[in-house]
Amino acid sequence: MEKKIRMIPAVFLSMMLAVLSGCSGNVSINVNPKEAAAEENSEQGPEIGRIQSICKLATLKCQYHNIAKSVKYPGNGIIDHLMRKSRKFWIEYQGTVEISFDVNKLKMQQDGKKITIVLPEPELTCDIVQGSWNQDSYIIEPNTWILQNPITADDQKNAVAAAQADMEKQVRDSTLIATAEDQAKALITSYINQIGDLTGNTYQVTIETTESSGPVPTETGQS
């Protein structure tokens, strides 16, 4: 007889928002826009390969603590309903959120001193930290001598999957994705600005996103 399992993802919202907000500025950057610009041929303008490298490394990554909470209810059958009890269980684990860009989808167009950059849509991944989910992570309401209702591996897997889906929704509803875009734009603008300083050019730069409708051009470099 099929059992009824109602998933109740229980995430400590205040804790989660504090953790995620705290990591919003924790961007992994291994390219210095000024150094990258200095390595360019002074007679050349900005190169898409450099811009892709800078964008690729402008990755926002942070960790979070999550708790999946579910209740397994008895089945509909008379025997199942009478002989089995509802059982609550919790699973505690650590996860990571990463927001990055597929740089192969980044586009660049240059018409003289006018440069248009089109950023790809940020990609979001929420993964469980390997080893953070083990036997010590479980809190399960005990069975009674007569009334029992085993918590199966599928029950546990489904509870964590529901909690992960809820976490991803929270991230998409937060400002983290916009923060990642702003960081990428700032790095690209800084790089082009350094190229303008080295070459004595003024570039009119427009950085668009796949969802933008009317980007504001930014002038960089020297006149």
Side-chain angles (χ1 to χ4, degrees):
M1 185 67 64
E2 182 179 357
K3 306 295 185 298
K4 292 182 178 179
I5 304 175
R6 186 176 67 186
M7 297 306 163
I8 311 176
V11 180
F12 292 142
L13 297 181
S14 59
M15 178 186 297
M16 298 305 303
L17 292 178
V19 171
L20 291 176
S21 298
C23 74
S24 62
N26 183 20
V27 181
S28 174
I29 302 168
N30 295 318
V31 171
N32 185 312
K34 184 174 182 179
E35 293 177 358
E39 293 176 6
E40 301 286 351
N41 187 319
S42 62
E43 296 181 357
Q44 296 179 347
E47 294 186 355
I48 188 171
R50 285 288 188 181
I51 293 175
Q52 288 176 326
S53 296
I54 291 172
C55 184
K56 182 178 181 179
L57 294 170
T59 299
L60 188 152
K61 186 174 183 179
C62 60
Q63 289 190 338
Y64 61 87
H65 175 88
N66 205 2
I67 297 178
K69 181 179 179 182
S70 293
V71 179
K72 182 171 183 178
Y73 293 95
N76 291 322
I78 296 177
I79 295 178
D80 279 342
H81 189 73
L82 293 177
M83 301 301 296
R84 296 187 184 277
K85 60 171 289 186
S86 297
R87 293 185 70 194
K88 299 177 182 179
F89 65 97
W90 297 260
I91 303 173
E92 184 177 1
Y93 64 95
Q94 303 290 330
T96 60
V97 171
E98 181 173 302
I99 302 174
S100 59
F101 299 88
D102 183 349
V103 298
N104 293 321
K105 296 180 180 179
L106 185 146
K107 298 179 181 179
M108 171 181 170
Q109 294 181 341
Q110 183 168 358
D111 181 11
K113 300 299 192 319
K114 294 182 179 181
I115 298 176
T116 300
I117 305 293
V118 181
L119 286 177
E121 184 177 358
E123 297 181 349
L124 169 64
T125 56
C126 294
D127 295 322
I128 298 173
V129 174
Q130 191 71 20
S132 70
W133 176 11
N134 52 51
Q135 291 299 321
D136 295 332
S137 303
Y138 297 91
I139 300 177
I140 301 177
E141 185 178 7
N143 280 312
T144 64
W145 182 69
I146 297 177
L147 301 178
Q148 299 188 12
N149 196 1
I151 304 298
T152 67
D154 283 343
D155 297 336
Q156 300 163 19
K157 181 180 178 180
N158 291 337
V160 171
Q164 283 292 95
D166 187 69
M167 170 55 61
E168 181 173 334
K169 181 179 184 302
Q170 288 189 59
V171 174
R172 293 190 183 280
D173 292 342
S174 73
T175 60
L176 291 181
I177 292 179
T179 297
E181 288 183 335
D182 290 344
Q183 292 284 356
K185 291 176 182 179
L187 287 171
I188 292 171
T189 300
S190 178
Y191 161 70
I192 297 177
N193 185 66
Q194 295 297 328
I195 290 292
D197 290 343
L198 290 172
T199 60
N201 292 315
T202 298
Y203 293 105
Q204 185 179 24
V205 182
T206 301
I207 301 181
E208 303 176 351
T209 63
T210 54
E211 299 178 352
S212 65
S213 58
V216 179
T218 303
E219 291 190 356
T220 63
Q222 302 296 321
S223 300

